[in-house]
Amino acid sequence: MFDVICDVLMPWDIQGVLRTQQNSERTVTLSNGVLLESVRTEKKGVSALFIDNGKRGFACSTDISVHGANTVMHEALDNLRSMTRVNEFAPVASGGRSSFPTVKDTAQSEIVELASTLDTRIVSMCPKASGRRIQIATLVTQKLICTHDGRCISVFLPRTNVYVTLSAKNSRGESASIRDAYGGACYASQLLNNIEVMDGFINELYDDVQKKCEASALESAEYECVLSGCTGILIHEAFGHIAEGDAVAAGSVLAGKLGERIVSPLISATDFAKSAFGQPVPQPLEVDDEGVQCVDAPILEKGVLKGYMLDTRTAAQLGLKNTGNARAATFGDIPVVRMRNTAIHPGNSTLDELIASVEDGVYVKRTGGGQADMTGKFMFAVQTAYRIHSGKVKEPLGNITCTGSSFRTLGEVKMVGNDIHWPHSSMCGKEAQVIPVGMAGPSVRSIAYFGGGERNE
Amino acid sequence: MNDLTVAKSLLKRLTNAGADCAHVWCVGVQRHTMLLTQGVPDTLMTGHESTASVKLGQGMRFIQKEIPFSCESDFDGFVPELFAALKDAPEDRNEDMFGDGTSESRTDIRSSFEPVQMKRYLETLAEDFAASGAELVRAKLSYEKRESVFVSSRGEQYADEDDGYKLSFSANMKKDGRTMTVFADHAMFRDMGDYKAFDAQSILAKNADMLFNPSNIKPFEASLIIAPAPLYIFLMDTLFSQLFDDSLLGGQSRWENSFNKAVADRTFSARFDSFEEGIVLGERITPDGCRSKPYDVIDKGILKNAILSCKAARIKGLAPSGNSGDNLIVEPGRTSLDELIANTGEGVLMYGYAGVGANPDGSFAGVAKPAFMIKNGKIVCALNDVRVSGNWLDILARGSFEFSSRRETNGESILPWMKVEKVKFS
């Protein structure tokens, strides 16, 4: 059904794209072994976007047919006309076609079975856990992107995330909990057939939550720290968003600073398109949702600002090369400048060496959500952290918060670890569109402000 | 063909195919959105989305699924697919999963899509900001018309039509070569003429100049006056972390054994109500497929209800919630905002907040921004990166707080300002 759309988009002499997209989501939630939620959702439809001289016309419909595609195409052109007051755009010679990717449906029972099997495994592996919650969320994104110049590109991205929350209580009845995610670019069945790969993840979560029961609050102050497992979110939230073309055009703190040294020379960062450091990235993209070829977007090189992430409009506004960063969450969303797979490049030190180098500080092991503003100020919740005394990991800390300026925290980086992994479960929200992204980074030694964790009395 | 006809037709197909209990609820949304970039309207988007949600029970098996549709023939393959998927579904059926919908119809359409008017509105907004020395960098104005219908095999039927506008924007000011976002807001309203900048925005505008020269502070303890927008983050996180499905089923809630007992001072009353005047495009049908109803969460400090799905409520032996926790309404106090500020010897006025609203243990920590210092009842300067921390369960129980007499609505909640004593800043 999707393939007929290729024939509808007459090649035009202005930039345009006709996109059919299906997002298939499955969510299964178990709380202490009780099945709470088992939901299947499909969002599918067709949209058209035309861009001319900085103006855009967009239309979408759930009607995936020749009629629906024709309708959205003409509505999008009408919308563009009403913004530009230009009367006519001319069709040009016809182009080729491709196929909508055919994928197998995921049986709900597979996901429920994965959740139940994992739940049983957690019960046996974590006898002292006072509570457990498992949520499995799968998202299969299929797209067919047909461009004004006759190209048709099919996109297929499966993803399965397993979110586990473990709770534990101490002898005084005080509880603590930690939530973490395990996932990958795969189907739920692939994880089910290989469930023991999650054992290390579960064991670590269990160990940390038991320690967290005895956690203490942290006096609010700036601390030397080892940020581990969270530099991906740091580069994404605190630096990536202000390097997005629309933010730069709106006057972000990075505007006009290309070529300037802005953070530590130990820091390099790139928004990768298809692969990074010789490995595939979580969201490999050939073309973006404007039909533009995706290329790696170097952001920082040895501390110097090298570039921004751009779509058609912002590339034109800033006079720079389009990097193919226009992404839309569903068929009904207009593409906006988004990150794809953003990472700080790894260094040479081991995590042990980083910790051993800190006399008095904080070791951040696992974070929750975070946010940043256009000036580079960031905040993220810390789920698992420990004090460091004399180069050794010591007492656990409660639900503290890490805040600071990305310029200062990345500017004060003294050591960069050789560890890097892509969590595969990262999501990013912008302008009410939530999309999967990749974010990664090595452990770093730096400084940041920490506070909070007050228990209720 | 309207969505009610579609819903009835799909229900008939399901029952004919052997379902012994089914719900169908359809939501159709027409949306027209105009975007403005750096002062100029530049993008127009139109779209129509109809989605049917189905709950189906056969024997002890149960399944819930959504499907977008444009015409009845879209269900041709869906119905057999659904029954095939039902065979794989867990044996998890319970009658309370099938809601308690009441037959009723309601139409409340007050406006229509007018692109010229929308464009003029955005241009006027840009001119207003320009007059105050700011640039409207981004704005998004949508007109949305929604039709929600619900039918069940038990004969229940519910239909609702409403509409409204959604606006979000950010505006920058420049001074001495520096750019700062000093206005940012989002709101929903029934008519374009209804939108008024909140008190928070107007006070911010009056003191915007101070934001370019913020002062640093040393750790101290003082009063905190919270604007409705950050208060929403704090209260929603607190209520959800104590009263939602997971926290109650998982044994994490500190309020698990506090129903019908005091958890807060008697001046605190909070409820969810999607039908309250001032709420725009509120929830009409819950994710459980029930008709939304108003309900109290805390009444004069007494914990009344949790925020539970039908199934979680059954497991906990509590009443299911009237809605899924949309549209928070908090009762006002007796003191005006001006008096709250004037009565403050030393304190911080918080307009925005980046941080954790409340952890499961009630703790919170984050950055107040924009924020101003109050001394002797007057705003004296803006503050740079003021960190605030504490514990919401303690604050509510301690009762050392006060609400303003006037409330503000952004179309999705109705909240007063809140003044809290003895908060830690650093």
Side-chain angles (χ1 to χ4, degrees):
Chain A
M1 180 167 60
F2 291 81
D3 293 356
V4 296
I5 309 304
C6 286
D7 294 332
V8 172
L9 184 74
M10 293 289 289
W12 295 81
D13 60 355
I14 54 165
Q15 185 179 350
V17 64
L18 189 62
R19 173 166 48 99
T20 50
Q21 181 168 346
Q22 175 168 322
N23 291 10
S24 307
E25 292 182 67
R26 310 280 185 263
T27 308
V28 168
T29 306
L30 253 72
S31 183
N32 287 337
V34 176
L35 181 68
L36 270 190
E37 185 185 28
S38 176
V39 180
R40 303 159 61 92
T41 307
E42 253 95 48
K43 274 185 184 287
K44 58 185 174 185
V46 58
S47 66
L49 168 67
F50 286 98
I51 308 169
D52 186 49
N53 200 24
K55 308 282 185 191
R56 295 181 298 178
F58 178 84
C60 65
S61 168
T62 48
D63 182 4
I64 303 174
S65 66
V66 172
H67 173 261
N70 264 311
T71 304
V72 295
M73 198 173 68
H74 287 104
E75 281 181 3
L77 279 167
D78 282 346
N79 288 342
L80 179 63
R81 285 185 190 110
S82 75
M83 301 310 291
T84 58
R85 295 187 184 87
V86 172
N87 289 323
E88 290 300 329
F89 302 104
V92 295
S94 178
R97 61 179 292 170
S98 179
S99 292
F100 196 77
T102 306
V103 297
K104 79 176 182 90
D105 188 23
T106 305
Q108 199 78 1
S109 57
E110 274 181 13
I111 305 173
V112 174
E113 191 186 345
L114 172 59
S116 303
T117 308
L118 184 59
D119 190 61
T120 306
R121 206 168 179 87
I122 288 174
V123 169
S124 68
M125 289 173 69
C126 314
K128 291 181 185 168
S130 63
R132 63 197 187 278
R133 180 183 193 265
I134 298 165
Q135 184 175 58
I136 299 176
T138 69
L139 168 65
V140 178
T141 307
Q142 300 160 256
K143 294 180 195 180
L144 186 59
I145 296 167
C146 302
T147 63
H148 66 287
D149 54 2
R151 289 173 299 130
C152 282
I153 305 102
S154 75
V155 177
F156 164 58
L157 294 166
R159 180 151 147 147
T160 298
N161 291 338
V162 180
Y163 300 94
V164 178
T165 307
L166 281 185
S167 307
K169 287 185 178 173
N170 62 17
S171 54
R172 298 178 298 282
E174 295 163 338
S175 62
S177 60
I178 303 178
R179 179 178 190 260
D180 206 350
Y182 186 95
C186 62
Y187 283 106
S189 56
Q190 290 166 282
L191 278 181
L192 178 63
N193 294 334
N194 198 15
I195 200 160
E196 60 280 359
V197 296
M198 282 188 268
D199 285 357
F201 163 75
I202 303 290
N203 278 329
E204 205 168 339
L205 200 60
Y206 183 47
D207 185 44
D208 284 331
V209 77
Q210 289 183 91
K211 289 176 182 163
K212 194 175 175 182
C213 287
E214 304 300 336
S216 50
L218 183 66
E219 190 178 334
S220 295
E222 189 171 70
Y223 291 86
E224 196 168 7
C225 57
V226 173
L227 303 173
S228 181
C230 62
T231 48
I233 191 173
L234 180 66
I235 192 73
H236 176 98
E237 295 291 350
F239 217 94
H241 281 299
I242 53 176
E244 288 172 333
D246 50 349
V248 175
S252 104
V253 72
L254 293 183
K257 292 202 171 157
L258 283 179
E260 286 183 28
R261 157 93 187 276
I262 52 176
V263 294
S264 161
L266 296 174
I267 295 293
S268 295
T270 302
D271 184 53
F272 293 98
K274 285 168 276 191
S275 63
F277 318 121
Q279 299 291 323
V281 288
Q283 291 292 302
L285 294 171
E286 283 288 337
V287 294
D288 71 1
D289 289 328
E290 290 179 339
V292 173
Q293 197 71 33
C294 294
V295 294
D296 289 349
I299 305 167
L300 294 167
E301 191 178 301
K302 294 181 179 168
V304 174
L305 183 64
K306 294 301 283 185
Y308 306 122
M309 291 165 278
L310 303 162
D311 66 353
T312 300
R313 274 199 323 170
T314 54
Q317 270 179 299
L318 299 169
L320 297 167
K321 188 170 175 268
N322 192 338
T323 52
N325 278 82
R327 298 183 66 193
T330 71
F331 75 92
D333 293 311
I334 193 166
V336 290
V337 185
R338 304 300 296 265
M339 280 172 264
R340 300 161 305 194
N341 305 280
T342 317
I344 296 177
H345 299 201
N348 300 316
S349 307
T350 64
L351 175 59
D352 287 344
E353 287 168 346
L354 264 64
I355 291 169
S357 70
V358 175
E359 185 57 30
D360 177 27
V362 175
Y363 166 43
V364 176
K365 186 175 177 184
R366 190 181 284 113
T367 55
Q371 52 191 289
D373 67 14
M374 288 296 107
T375 67
K377 300 284 173 65
F378 68 86
M379 159 275 147
F380 50 81
V382 178
Q383 291 203 77
T384 310
Y386 296 87
R387 283 303 306 268
I388 302 175
H389 296 299
S390 304
K392 299 240 179 311
V393 175
K394 296 291 184 181
E395 68 270 22
L397 297 167
N399 290 313
I400 58 172
T401 302
C402 175
T403 58
S405 155
S406 53
F407 291 94
R408 182 161 161 74
T409 297
L410 291 178
E412 292 292 328
V413 167
K414 297 288 191 291
M415 292 171 81
V416 178
N418 56 11
D419 52 334
I420 187 162
H421 82 287
W422 298 87
H424 281 279
S425 59
S426 312
M427 303 296 284
C428 172
K430 179 177 173 182
E431 297 182 17
Q433 294 188 43
V434 179
I435 56 168
V437 291
M439 54 178 90
S443 303
V444 299
R445 183 186 136 195
S446 185
I447 52 170
Y449 200 97
F450 295 90
E454 281 96 339
R455 286 182 179 275
N456 85 301
E457 291 148 8
Chain B
M1 184 182 63
N2 63 23
D3 284 356
L4 183 59
T5 314
V6 172
K8 282 180 175 173
S9 164
L10 178 54
L11 180 68
K12 196 172 174 187
R13 287 188 194 211
L14 295 169
T15 48
N16 286 348
D20 50 46
C21 195
H23 275 186
V24 176
W25 64 103
C26 298
V27 178
V29 179
Q30 278 181 41
R31 192 179 293 118
H32 306 270
T33 303
M34 194 171 285
L35 304 181
L36 171 146
T37 309
Q38 282 147 327
V40 181
D42 61 2
T43 303
L44 180 61
M45 307 188 280
T46 53
H48 181 227
E49 289 177 39
S50 290
T51 306
S53 299
V54 172
K55 268 189 177 179
L56 180 64
Q58 193 180 42
M60 285 308 291
R61 294 195 188 277
F62 154 82
I63 195 165
Q64 179 174 343
K65 194 173 182 206
E66 279 182 26
I67 178 175
F69 68 91
S70 56
C71 59
E72 274 198 67
S73 62
D74 287 344
F75 302 128
D76 291 348
F78 174 68
V79 172
E81 243 177 56
L82 198 59
F83 276 89
L86 186 65
K87 286 179 191 155
D88 291 332
E91 292 196 352
D92 190 44
R93 173 174 168 176
N94 190 283
E95 289 310 303
D96 61 17
M97 289 177 180
F98 292 92
D100 60 349
T102 317
S103 295
E104 190 184 344
S105 284
R106 202 182 72 106
T107 298
D108 191 11
I109 300 294
R110 302 191 198 179
S111 198
S112 62
F113 170 54
E114 296 288 349
V116 176
Q117 207 184 341
M118 284 172 77
K119 195 174 176 187
R120 183 68 207 131
Y121 181 86
L122 288 176
E123 285 168 347
T124 305
L125 199 62
E127 286 162 13
D128 289 348
F129 279 109
S132 62
E135 181 193 23
L136 185 60
V137 177
R138 262 185 232 147
K140 180 177 179 179
L141 177 66
S142 302
Y143 169 71
E144 197 168 303
K145 185 177 169 187
R146 185 182 60 181
E147 183 182 19
S148 311
V149 300
F150 167 87
V151 289
S152 81
S153 54
R154 294 174 180 169
E156 298 147 338
Q157 182 175 311
Y158 174 67
D160 185 285
E161 269 191 301
D162 55 357
D163 68 346
Y165 288 91
K166 291 182 179 177
L167 172 70
S168 59
F169 64 82
S170 63
N172 287 351
M173 284 183 86
K174 286 183 181 171
K175 192 176 178 184
D176 303 330
R178 285 182 297 160
T179 303
M180 193 177 295
T181 299
V182 289
F183 304 96
D185 206 353
H186 71 278
M188 291 190 281
F189 37 89
R190 297 304 300 263
D191 189 278
M192 277 191 273
D194 288 348
Y195 178 70
K196 301 283 185 296
F198 302 154
D199 277 356
Q201 292 292 317
S202 53
I203 295 175
L204 201 55
K206 210 169 14 178
N207 299 293
D209 215 33
M210 288 182 187
L211 293 170
F212 283 93
N213 293 299
S215 301
N216 291 315
I217 58 157
K218 288 185 176 166
F220 71 114
E221 194 174 88
S223 307
L224 171 66
I225 298 179
I226 310 167
L231 182 59
Y232 181 80
I233 297 170
F234 288 131
L235 293 183
M236 288 294 276
D237 273 8
T238 303
L239 296 175
F240 270 78
S241 66
Q242 301 305 316
L243 299 172
F244 192 49
D245 288 10
D246 286 338
S247 49
L248 284 167
L249 290 177
Q252 284 297 299
S253 172
R254 305 295 208 267
W255 287 349
E256 186 174 5
N257 300 312
S258 299
F259 288 95
N260 295 312
K261 294 179 188 166
V263 293
D265 182 79
R266 66 186 319 281
T267 55
F268 182 54
S269 294
R271 63 199 163 87
F272 291 105
D273 186 350
S274 298
F275 295 89
E276 178 90 1
E277 184 65 34
I279 297 297
V280 180
L281 293 166
E283 182 182 78
R284 295 294 179 252
I285 297 168
T286 70
D288 272 321
C290 304
R291 187 187 155 206
S292 275
K293 291 174 194 158
Y295 69 104
D296 289 330
V297 181
I298 293 172
D299 183 31
K300 297 187 174 71
I302 308 294
L303 181 61
K304 291 293 184 187
N305 286 298
I307 310 164
L308 293 175
S309 65
C310 290
K311 182 167 180 179
R314 174 171 55 83
I315 293 166
K316 292 303 293 181
L318 296 166
S321 307
N323 78 11
S324 60
D326 276 4
N327 309 126
L328 177 66
I329 319 282
V330 172
E331 292 306 307
R334 293 180 176 172
T335 312
S336 71
L337 174 60
D338 287 344
E339 286 171 308
L340 286 182
I341 295 171
N343 296 339
T344 302
E346 187 179 43
V348 172
L349 194 59
M350 175 199 281
Y351 288 98
Y353 176 72
V356 176
N359 288 302
D361 60 3
S363 65
F364 71 94
V367 177
K369 186 181 178 181
F372 293 94
M373 187 80 200
I374 302 171
K375 279 199 172 156
N376 301 320
K378 288 195 167 43
I379 295 171
V380 292
C381 63
L383 294 173
N384 186 31
D385 289 346
V386 58
R387 276 97 176 171
V388 53
S389 64
N391 189 296
W392 273 103
L393 302 184
D394 283 345
I395 289 170
L396 293 176
R398 209 167 61 212
S400 50
F401 58 84
E402 191 178 358
F403 291 108
S404 70
S405 53
R406 198 187 134 195
R407 294 186 295 181
E408 294 178 10
T409 178
N410 61 359
E412 61 183 343
S413 62
I414 302 175
L415 301 176
W417 291 66
M418 186 183 194
K419 180 176 173 181
V420 181
E421 302 297 347
K422 292 186 179 175
V423 175
K424 286 179 192 166
F425 302 99
S426 56

